[in-house]
Amino acid sequence: MMTKTFGKSGDVSDLVSSLGWLDEDGSSQDGEESPEMRGHHGLTMGGRMHSCTEMGSEDMEEEEEEDDEEEIGPDGENAPKRRGPKKKKMTKARQERFRARRVKANARERSRMHGLNDALDNLRRVMPCYSKTQKLSKIETLRLARNYIWALSEVLESGQSPESHGFVEMLCKGLSQPTSNLVAGCLQLGPSPMVLNKLEDKCGGPGVGGVGGQAVHPLIYPSPGLPSPPYGSLEASHLLHMKGFKGPVYDNPSPNECSSGTPPYDGPLTPPLSISGNFALKQEPSPHDSERNYTPHPGHHAHYLSSHHYPTSTAGGLPGGPQGHPLFQASRYELPLDVAFDSFTPSHLLTSQMGTI
DNA sequence: TAGGCCATCTGGTCCT
DNA sequence: AGGACCAGATGGCCTA
């Protein structure tokens, strides 16, 4: 591991261990270095450290000197004195301060990324087809969110029905095929009889409540006589109480818009109508709060990943690509059994469940 | 096995 | 000086 990592860097492993890199940040409580540290030892020491201002190569050479008080130039005693300001020696005290700063910075960075992920998770919850186990990837979540805002704005402006293909196509614009299939399946526009059967199994049948006693979105089970889900009032204007439905008002996207796996941002997509006033945010406790106290574990990645499944975007076709629009293809992606449509309630979620995004 | 996605560490930069 | 933010790099896990 270390030998492999430092293979190109020469013998710096001694330096690394002398600096205490293997046991920083509590990441190696049992004395083993974490995988992350393994990787970054090689990176830091082997390459980028040369441009580091905090610990430049000269400082590193100084660090190799166990005696803090000796001052020997990089090339030995006979080396000409450097011009310019003298670099501070990396004494042990400085090393310790540096490590302490680094440890704190790492913790802050972790916390920051956790916050970012929490916000992303909150965003997932207000997206169509939220599933606790089949989470959308980060990039797909952002794309779907963009499309969702755009589609809702279109609904408000043009009166387009949220049940139309146009609405769903707007939602799926630029998404990967698996995600598009997921959305289409959620909105019952895709080839989803099997999917719906699964959902019925899970939900107790169309219109019979939702997962865990939560409401089923009426777009999925628009049968008459369904109990009114506990939506707020805004969703009525957004999605559910659309009057004067004029049928699909969808403008087909340009042929090249969905022709790549990671479609570039196709223009400003400025929503025609501002709905910013609908975002009355109310923070709810995050499910990750209990994970805030980071306890590094060799298998923490496995633990995380084993409990989250992401629809991979590598499954071939792309929207508008050679395989055609995903909404009208045979489903290659099955919905998870626990897809929770209760989150597909735009306004009440926006007003009551939406955390800080 | 390759590719996607992820968490993490890290150094640089900017700001207070 | 220290914190926030960012991007690069790395390795692990999962899936096709």
Side-chain angles (χ1 to χ4, degrees), chain A residues 1 9 77 103 120 129 147 155 171 192 204 230 241 269 314 323 332 334 350 352:
Chain A
M1 13 195 248
S9 325
E77 292 181 354
V103 167
L120 209 52
C129 306
N147 292 353
V155 166
L171 285 183
S192 55
H241 296 173
L269 274 184
T314 61
Q323 302 184 21
R332 299 177 58 181
E334 296 183 4
L350 290 177
S352 66

Side-chain angles (χ1 to χ4, degrees), chain A residues 2-332:
Chain A
M2 292 298 298
T3 54
K4 172 186 174 184
T5 306
F6 288 109
K8 298 177 181 177
S9 325
D11 27 298
V12 291
S13 51
D14 291 340
L15 167 62
V16 170
S17 55
S18 71
L19 290 174
W21 288 59
L22 301 187
D23 196 25
E24 71 134 20
D25 201 7
S27 301
S28 307
Q29 293 174 334
D30 56 357
E32 285 188 12
E33 56 182 2
S34 69
E36 292 77 14
M37 290 309 298
R38 278 202 301 273
H40 292 288
H41 293 163
L43 167 67
T44 304
M45 304 307 293
R48 297 175 60 180
M49 195 53 95
H50 291 293
S51 60
C52 175
T53 57
E54 186 84 37
M55 292 176 63
S57 57
E58 293 169 348
D59 278 344
M60 290 172 57
E61 292 182 14
E62 289 176 3
E63 288 169 32
E64 293 188 69
E65 302 292 336
E66 285 298 318
D67 187 357
D68 294 336
E69 303 309 319
E70 281 191 16
E71 189 164 1
I72 301 175
D75 298 327
E77 292 181 354
N78 296 331
K81 284 191 174 181
R82 290 192 306 248
R83 292 185 177 180
K86 249 187 171 181
K87 285 195 175 183
K88 290 183 181 179
K89 288 197 57 168
M90 185 59 81
T91 64
K92 283 192 175 181
R94 287 193 69 216
Q95 291 177 21
E96 290 175 2
R97 283 199 300 273
F98 175 80
R99 290 313 312 158
R101 267 213 315 274
R102 203 53 259 173
V103 167
K104 285 178 65 178
N106 291 345
R108 283 195 307 271
E109 180 67 10
R110 273 198 305 270
S111 175
R112 194 181 71 87
M113 295 309 296
H114 286 168
L116 192 62
N117 289 338
D118 283 351
L120 209 52
D121 222 35
N122 289 331
L123 186 58
R124 286 190 183 100
R125 290 197 188 94
V126 300
M127 289 294 106
C129 306
Y130 167 68
S131 167
K132 288 180 180 177
T133 60
Q134 199 94 39
K135 288 170 67 178
L136 292 177
S137 70
K138 292 179 176 180
I139 183 66
E140 291 292 272
T141 300
L142 292 176
R143 286 178 183 144
L144 181 57
R146 177 199 65 179
N147 292 353
Y148 196 27
I149 294 172
W150 177 39
L152 290 176
S153 302
E154 278 294 321
V155 166
L156 284 176
E157 187 189 53
S158 65
Q160 170 187 354
S161 168
E163 302 177 37
S164 68
H165 271 205
F167 184 83
V168 183
E169 289 198 23
M170 278 193 278
L171 285 183
C172 296
K173 188 176 179 183
L175 300 182
S176 68
Q177 181 182 344
T179 307
S180 296
N181 287 342
L182 179 65
V183 174
C186 286
L187 299 185
Q188 211 176 0
L189 289 177
S192 55
M194 173 180 58
V195 161
L196 290 178
N197 287 339
K198 286 185 178 182
L199 293 172
E200 290 173 11
D201 291 343
K202 180 68 177 183
C203 302
V208 188
V211 178
Q214 294 169 318
V216 174
H217 194 276
L219 291 183
I220 313 302
Y221 304 119
S223 309
L226 296 178
S228 298
Y231 301 147
S233 58
L234 288 174
E235 79 282 3
S237 58
H238 282 175
L239 296 171
L240 308 178
H241 296 173
M242 301 306 298
K243 295 181 179 178
F245 168 52
K246 312 167 194 173
V249 196
Y250 178 69
D251 295 330
N252 285 328
S254 57
N256 57 345
E257 277 178 336
C258 303
S259 58
S260 66
T262 52
Y265 178 58
D266 46 349
L269 274 184
T270 306
L273 186 61
S274 170
I275 55 175
S276 60
N278 293 341
F279 292 81
L281 303 180
K282 171 186 166 186
Q283 186 70 49
E284 67 176 3
S286 161
H288 296 300
D289 285 347
S290 60
E291 303 172 3
R292 274 298 173 274
N293 294 329
Y294 176 68
T295 42
H297 186 277
H300 72 278
H301 280 166
H303 177 268
Y304 177 87
L305 291 172
S306 64
S307 58
H308 300 81
H309 303 281
Y310 297 85
T312 173
S313 60
T314 61
L318 299 165
Q323 302 184 21
H325 196 283
L327 293 181
F328 308 104
Q329 296 173 0
S331 177
R332 299 177 58 181

